[in-house]
Amino acid sequence: PLEDVDLIHSHGDTMEHLIKSAPIRLTQFTGSSMVAERLSLVTHGKVKIEDAGFDWKILGPDAANQNLDYVAWVCDQDAYAMSGQKCSAQSIMFTHSNWMKRGILGKIESLATRRSLEDLTISPVLSVTTERIKEHVDQLLKIPGAYVVFGGEELEKHNIPKCYGAVKPTAVFVPLEEMLRNKENFELCTTEIFGPFQVITEYDDSSVDRVIEACERMSHHLTAAVVSSDTAFQHKILSNTVNGTTYTGIRARTTGAPANHWFGPSNDPRGAGIGSPEAILLVWTSHREIIEDRLPPPDSWTTPPPT
């Protein structure tokens, strides 16, 4: 019913004042991890969160030429549709050497470079400036063995204000061992850029456990994809990772969940789901126990001694 919903449009500080002043029992929040942490403090934990995700994709060992074009297309969509401005965007891709040998990066580049401001397949980045994105690329390139796969440049012939981002779809390769070498490198490689940007790395059969280590060390476990038809490989990855919405199979993606099923993070007791009846129940209900003890005491009952 219309009277059950109030739509409020305001700045964050105004809404925070309302939340702190009104007797609100629960807040569900979708948005950045920074605001999510703030709400956790403001509401004293009475919040359910569907916040940021540094979302990974693993291309498994069973690379095949007949799947190359499709897998590359999904990678382009996951990373660069909406200019990467979606919490389920592909942020990092662990690419098996079998896919690298088949030229998967070149395929993705050819798709990404089709994107244009003219048809809005690339668009302004609202929350990250061009300067900040280029600065992040430069920092990554200081890691030994890192290089720009494609992009890394400002869009040409645009009139986007400097307070926004205007960059070409970008991918930076970082060697897996260098990424995991120390805390500083790993945090740099897993810094979310809410725009058309991803990190790419390569692994082989001997380094699958290092890939799992990297996935476990990430802090926000929202969506993920295991692109493989190899059942044993799927099982190894899925049984050792915790992302809340994980696609698996040769057509696996990281985006699209709200259209048809559960979408939400895992590995956090504050995690909220959206997009399904189960999600609504998880967020907006809690267990309540009512114990009935209706029968009268028996006629023979007497007061027992103290215990």
Side-chain angles (χ1 to χ4, degrees), residues 116-189:
S116 168
L117 275 175
E118 293 180 1
D119 58 9
L120 296 180
T121 50
I122 195 74
S123 60
V125 179
L126 301 182
S127 59
V128 191
T129 64
T130 301
E131 181 181 7
R132 170 69 185 103
I133 296 172
K134 294 176 73 174
E135 176 187 276
H136 185 62
V137 171
D138 290 341
Q139 289 297 315
L140 286 170
L141 293 179
K142 293 179 182 179
I143 298 175
Y147 62 90
V148 175
V149 181
F150 55 82
E153 301 174 341
E154 186 171 353
L155 294 172
E156 300 166 353
K157 299 178 181 179
H158 73 84
N159 57 2
I160 298 170
K162 290 185 177 295
C163 59
Y164 303 117
V167 294
K168 297 178 181 179
T170 299
V172 175
F173 181 91
V174 179
L176 181 61
E177 286 304 314
E178 294 297 331
M179 181 189 304
L180 296 171
R181 185 169 299 280
N182 54 52
K183 180 181 178 182
E184 292 74 21
N185 282 6
F186 189 77
E187 289 183 350
L188 183 62
C189 290

Side-chain angles (χ1 to χ4, degrees), residues 56-64 67-68 71 75 93-102 104 201-205 208 211 225-237 247-252:
W56 50 260
K57 175 179 286 182
I58 299 173
L59 302 188
D62 49 327
N67 298 322
L68 189 61
V71 170
C75 290
M93 186 171 75
F94 299 92
T95 313
H96 195 280
S97 56
N98 292 342
W99 287 100
M100 297 288 280
K101 293 172 185 175
R102 284 168 170 77
I104 185 71
T201 191
E202 182 178 358
Y203 74 101
D204 58 23
D205 292 343
V208 174
V211 173
V226 183
V227 183
S228 176
S229 296
D230 184 327
T231 304
F233 181 80
Q234 291 175 0
H235 179 75
K236 182 175 180 64
I237 300 299
Y247 295 85
T248 186
I250 201 64
R251 296 174 61 180

Side-chain angles (χ1 to χ4, degrees), residues 240-265:
N240 287 282
T241 55
V242 295
N243 290 51
T245 303
T246 303
Y247 295 85
T248 186
I250 201 64
R251 296 174 61 180
R253 60 194 192 275
T254 63
T255 56
N260 51 25
H261 55 73
W262 168 283
F263 181 79

Side-chain angles (χ1 to χ4, degrees), residues 60-82:
D62 49 327
N65 288 334
Q66 64 265 32
N67 298 322
L68 189 61
D69 287 340
Y70 184 86
V71 170
W73 172 75
V74 175
C75 290
D76 172 68
Q77 285 291 108
D78 281 348
Y80 305 123
M82 297 295 296

